[in-house]
Amino acid sequence: YLSGNADAASLGDIPTLRDRSRDLLRNSPLSVGAVGTVVQSVVGSGLALQVKPEAKRLGWTPEQAAEWAANTESEWYLWAESAFCDVTRTLNFYGLQALAFRSAMESGDAFALLPMIAIKGMPYKTRVQIIEADRVANPSKAMADGTKLDSGNRIYAGIEKDESGAPVAYYILRQHPGSVEGRLSRATDRYPAFGERTGRRNVLHLF
C-alpha cells in the first residue's frame, strides 16, 4: 500500500497498532511516563472559558458587558466543574479533556458524543460521553472499508463520509467488541455527525 492513500495504508493495521500501544502503556514505565508528560503539557488544567463580549458592537456599556461576562462564566463553571457534565458522572469537564486526549494518544482516535440528558439539580442537559475507538466500527464485520452505501456515501472504519470526504455519520457498537456482550452481538447505532435541524455537532472525533 505504499502508493495508496492514508486509509488504505493504515486502516488494516489499526487493531495491531492499538494492541501494541496498549501493551506498552501497561508494561513499559517509560511509555507511561512519556504519555503522561505529553498529556500534562498539552492539556494541563484544561481549556477554560474566558468571556469577552464585544460591548461596542452589542451597544452595551462596559458595566453591562462585565456583568454579563461574570454571569455567563458563573453558569459555565456550574456545568464544567461538576461531574454532571459527564454521562458517567465521574469526571468534570477538565478531567474529560485529559481522558479524551490520553485515549487518542493510546488508540489513535477518541470520540465523544454530546447527548442531552436531564439530571435533577443541574439546569443544563448537555453531557459528554467519551467513546473508546474500538467501538466505532463498520455495521457489519464483513463490510469492507470503502464500501459504497445506497446514499452514495462510503464507509471507512465506522465513519460514513460524503464524496468530499466530510463525515456524515458514525457507527458505534452498543458494547465494546472485547466485552462478553460485544463478542455475542455487533449491534451498532448510527449517529449523524451533525444535527439535521440545527447543524450542531453530535460527535467529536479526536485523531
Side-chain angles (χ1 to χ4, degrees):
Y1 293 114
L2 292 177
S3 60
N5 63 12
D7 287 331
S10 62
L11 289 184
D13 294 327
I14 283 179
T16 301
L17 291 170
R18 285 177 180 159
D19 285 345
R20 289 175 178 172
S21 174
R22 289 166 183 167
D23 180 69
L24 283 171
L25 290 175
R26 287 188 180 97
N27 300 299
S28 170
L30 188 62
S31 299
V32 174
V35 170
T37 298
V38 174
V39 171
Q40 182 59 39
S41 298
V42 175
V43 178
S45 59
L47 294 170
L49 180 68
Q50 187 174 23
V51 179
K52 290 186 177 180
E54 296 187 26
K56 186 175 181 181
R57 186 183 296 271
L58 295 168
W60 291 353
T61 65
E63 292 76 18
Q64 287 175 313
E67 181 181 2
W68 187 87
N71 289 337
T72 300
E73 287 186 2
S74 177
E75 294 298 315
W76 165 258
Y77 290 127
L78 172 67
W79 178 84
E81 295 186 353
S82 164
F84 286 149
C85 70
D86 180 6
V87 161
T88 65
R89 304 190 197 185
T90 304
L91 300 171
N92 62 19
F93 183 61
Y94 312 105
L96 287 169
Q97 291 177 53
L99 174 62
F101 187 73
R102 186 181 295 274
S103 297
M105 288 193 67
E106 179 178 320
S107 303
D109 301 75
F111 299 82
L113 301 180
L114 300 171
M116 305 291 282
I117 302 172
I119 296 177
K120 277 188 178 181
M122 172 55 67
Y124 303 110
K125 296 181 179 179
T126 302
R127 307 285 170 252
V128 180
Q129 181 180 4
I130 304 297
I131 301 293
E132 198 167 357
D134 307 69
R135 288 184 57 196
V136 178
N138 294 347
S140 166
K141 199 168 186 178
M143 179 181 283
D145 290 317
T147 296
K148 192 170 185 178
L149 306 177
D150 292 341
S151 61
N153 299 332
R154 294 185 183 275
I155 188 165
Y156 299 90
I159 303 174
E160 182 181 333
K161 298 181 179 182
D162 64 17
E163 292 181 354
S164 301
V168 174
Y170 298 82
Y171 293 83
I172 300 178
L173 294 165
R174 294 178 185 173
Q175 304 290 339
H176 190 285
S179 68
V180 174
E181 298 86 351
R183 291 183 185 128
L184 298 174
S185 170
R186 278 187 60 89
T188 59
D189 293 306
R190 181 180 184 272
Y191 292 84
F194 303 93
E196 184 177 344
R197 183 173 60 86
T198 63
R200 173 183 180 265
R201 260 201 177 274
N202 295 323
V203 185
L204 303 179
H205 182 192
L206 282 69
F207 58 93

